[in-house]
Amino acid sequence: MIPALGRLLILGSLLAAAAGAILGFAAGRTRSADGLKWARRFAYLYSGLIVSATLLMVYALLAHDFSVSYVAQVGSRTVPTWITVVSLWSSLEGSILFWGLVLGAYIAVATFLTRNRYEEYQPDAIGVWLACAAFFSFLIAGPANPFHTVPSPPMDGPGPNPLLQNHILMAIHPPFLYLGYVGFTIPFGFACAALMKGRLGHNVLKPLRESLMLPWIFQSVAIMLGGWWAYEVLGWGGYWAWDPVENASLLPWLTGTAFLHSIMIQEKRGMLRKWNVTLVVSTFLLSILGTFITRSGIIESVHSFAQSPVGNWFAGFLIVSIVVTAYLVTTRLKDLEAQAELESMVSREAAFLYNNLVLVGIAFSVLWGTLFPIISEAVRGEKITVGPPFFNTVNVPLGLLLLGLTGVGPLIAWRRASVSNLRRQFTAPVGIGLATGAALLAIGMRDPYAVICYALAAFVLGTILQEFQ
């Protein structure tokens, strides 16, 4: 009964997402109020169906219904209830179903909150959101179906991965990570809608900022919780080990952080429009890449799933997404021309630009190091793994530079800074930073990176305190 009902709900969500996407794009072309109304209804229908399917799976897990293939795979009568619930995202099929749940919640909330706002963007945005939803519903209905029927159900199952059973953070960290990853779909939809409409001015900035801020916060919390879990459970001796799946979660966070900084320049001066829309779509694409890395088994990690049937589908979805967004951006280059130019390399605009370049530089180095085993195997037939020494050598100096720029930006004037302005603004914070560095050397600290880091942190603190005066 439960397997059949689950499959029916998933197929219904696939049809609702596909129909809603078509109606959304059609309403965007024809400006049809009725078309938009029906696109919204299908968005709510998709959300209701995928949420119902997920709740049905949770019920099957709690009821220990081993006639459901996913329950037979990860369920167990001997584990506590909270671990039974955590089992929902402990393996491939359940994790993609949980992705659909989070995406459905995001789409329903975003559709409802924007029903009387951003009407010029909403039809195409709904179309993009539901097109992404249709892909994930297809995965759940096909290659990653958790609702297969087990002909001869076992009396008990093996339970989830043991690594997920020994820390309460596994009930917190994955949901926050999904809320980050999946949430980047919403600003991606707005960005694509703006590109399709050719309306890339000031009006689109607010929905982009609002819709990216929340998943960015969730992603930030998830990364910190993941480091805590790895430190306590995996025994790496630190909160970060440059594991490929750790890196995959960091990549969209870096580009999202860069966007949240650079959008202030676009709001203030009308600059960096091409850069900003590229950062938004890159954040979504990197979240899909991270999901591909995790679920394809193409890169070995303690976090990743074994070789799975969805890897090729994710690769195809990523390629199509890259091609479509590249086409949209390149065909709108004239509409993305900046409304002002950088007047001085010593200005607040320039400081924000340097900040962005460092963040993207870190993202590129992490991406290169993460994908290098795949590239080396394709080129030389030998998988060469890049370890922590590479990441630390490249990113520690960049991280220190980024820390310093955090304090520099607020001290410099917009447009062009004068010598007197720089002297007045920098004297106290620089003095605090130098005094901190000298004090650390006096008490015996000799690691140059540590001394520089604490000195720069003191400089940034001095900047913050000065801003409150």
Side-chain angles (χ1 to χ4, degrees):
M1 176 63 181
I2 289 180
L5 180 56
R7 292 194 296 270
L8 183 63
L9 290 170
I10 294 302
L11 287 174
S13 73
L14 173 58
L15 292 174
I22 294 170
L23 285 169
F25 291 133
R29 304 287 78 73
T30 63
R31 301 179 182 271
S32 168
D34 287 337
L36 175 56
K37 185 185 299 183
W38 277 101
R40 289 172 181 159
R41 289 171 177 170
F42 275 104
Y44 296 137
L45 178 60
Y46 161 77
S47 300
L49 290 169
I50 198 70
V51 168
S52 298
T54 309
L55 293 177
L56 183 66
M57 178 58 73
V58 172
Y59 171 78
L61 286 165
L62 293 172
H64 305 299
D65 187 344
F66 295 106
S67 67
V68 180
S69 58
Y70 188 71
V71 179
Q73 178 184 345
V74 302
S76 175
R77 300 180 187 275
T78 60
V79 299
T81 300
W82 75 268
I83 292 179
T84 298
V85 175
V86 165
S87 302
L88 176 64
W89 52 77
S90 67
S91 194
L92 175 70
E93 294 85 351
S95 70
I96 296 184
L97 179 62
F98 188 65
W99 183 296
L101 167 72
V102 177
L103 183 57
Y106 265 116
I107 289 175
V109 172
T111 301
F112 179 77
L113 292 179
T114 60
R115 66 195 185 283
N116 297 319
R117 306 163 63 198
Y118 319 127
E119 289 190 0
E120 60 182 325
Y121 304 115
Q122 197 188 50
D124 291 307
I126 291 176
V128 173
W129 300 336
L130 290 179
C132 295
F135 168 72
F136 283 95
S137 285
F138 162 76
L139 290 182
I140 302 168
N145 190 342
F147 286 105
H148 285 302
T149 302
V150 178
S152 301
M155 294 299 296
D156 200 359
N161 187 324
L163 283 175
L164 305 181
Q165 299 186 36
N166 53 9
H167 205 293
I168 191 62
L169 279 176
M170 281 302 99
I172 307 171
H173 164 62
F176 271 92
L177 190 62
Y178 278 85
L179 287 167
Y181 265 149
V182 181
F184 292 131
T185 307
I186 305 303
F188 175 71
F190 279 122
C192 289
L195 289 167
M196 285 186 275
K197 286 289 186 186
R199 301 292 298 275
L200 300 153
H202 197 77
N203 290 342
V204 77
L205 299 183
K206 190 172 183 180
L208 284 178
R209 181 204 284 273
E210 289 177 344
S211 59
L212 194 137
M213 178 63 76
L214 184 61
W216 179 86
I217 292 172
F218 283 130
Q219 191 81 356
S220 302
V221 174
I223 289 172
M224 290 188 288
L225 292 177
W228 181 8
W229 174 78
Y231 181 80
E232 293 201 359
V233 174
L234 299 180
W236 283 343
Y239 289 95
W240 199 263
W242 298 109
D243 181 80
V245 178
E246 282 185 317
N247 296 346
S249 69
L250 180 64
L251 287 168
W253 183 88
L254 288 167
T255 54
T257 304
F259 170 78
L260 290 173
H261 284 78
S262 62
I263 195 174
M264 290 185 277
I265 305 301
Q266 187 173 344
E267 288 177 328
K268 184 78 174 180
R269 300 288 314 283
M271 300 167 59
L272 303 181
R273 297 170 72 184
K274 298 174 186 175
W275 180 256
N276 283 333
V277 74
T278 302
L279 286 175
V280 172
V281 299
S282 297
T283 299
F284 170 77
L285 295 173
L286 287 171
S287 70
I288 297 300
L289 175 64
T291 310
F292 166 69
I293 289 173
T294 307
R295 281 153 183 79
S296 65
I298 196 169
I299 292 180
E300 294 181 3
S301 164
V302 69
H303 300 70
S304 62
F305 297 106
Q307 191 73 31
S308 70
V310 304
N312 291 335
W313 291 108
F314 264 108
F317 180 66
L318 179 62
I319 291 170
V320 170
S321 300
I322 291 172
V323 170
V324 171
T325 52
Y327 171 78
L328 289 174
V329 172
T330 54
T331 54
R332 294 297 183 186
L333 289 178
K334 290 185 178 180
D335 298 317
L336 290 167
E337 291 294 334
Q339 297 173 340
E341 294 184 356
L342 186 65
E343 297 181 16
S344 171
M345 300 304 290
V346 184
S347 62
R348 188 168 297 188
E349 297 96 313
F352 274 105
L353 179 59
Y354 304 148
N355 165 287
N356 265 230
L357 291 175
V358 174
L359 283 167
V360 172
I362 295 173
F364 177 79
S365 69
V366 173
L367 179 64
W368 174 256
T370 303
L371 296 182
F372 190 77
I374 304 172
I375 298 170
S376 64
E377 186 175 29
V379 174
R380 301 180 55 183
E382 179 183 1
K383 183 176 288 189
I384 301 174
T385 302
V386 174
F390 165 80
F391 293 106
N392 291 332
T393 300
V394 175
N395 290 312
V396 168
L398 289 176
L400 292 174
L401 178 58
L402 183 64
L403 178 60
L405 287 170
T406 303
V408 168
L411 298 176
I412 304 179
W414 292 101
R415 295 180 180 271
R416 187 184 299 273
S418 64
V419 174
S420 60
N421 170 265
L422 293 175
R423 186 183 298 114
R424 183 176 62 255
Q425 291 288 88
F426 276 86
T427 298
V430 169
I432 293 172
L434 291 175
T436 301
L440 292 172
L441 289 172
I443 63 174
M445 184 177 287
R446 292 294 180 265
D447 187 313
Y449 282 141
V451 173
I452 293 171
C453 181
Y454 281 112
L456 287 174
F459 163 68
V460 174
L461 179 60
T463 297
I464 295 171
L465 293 175
Q466 183 169 285
E467 286 290 296
F468 281 100
Q469 292 180 352

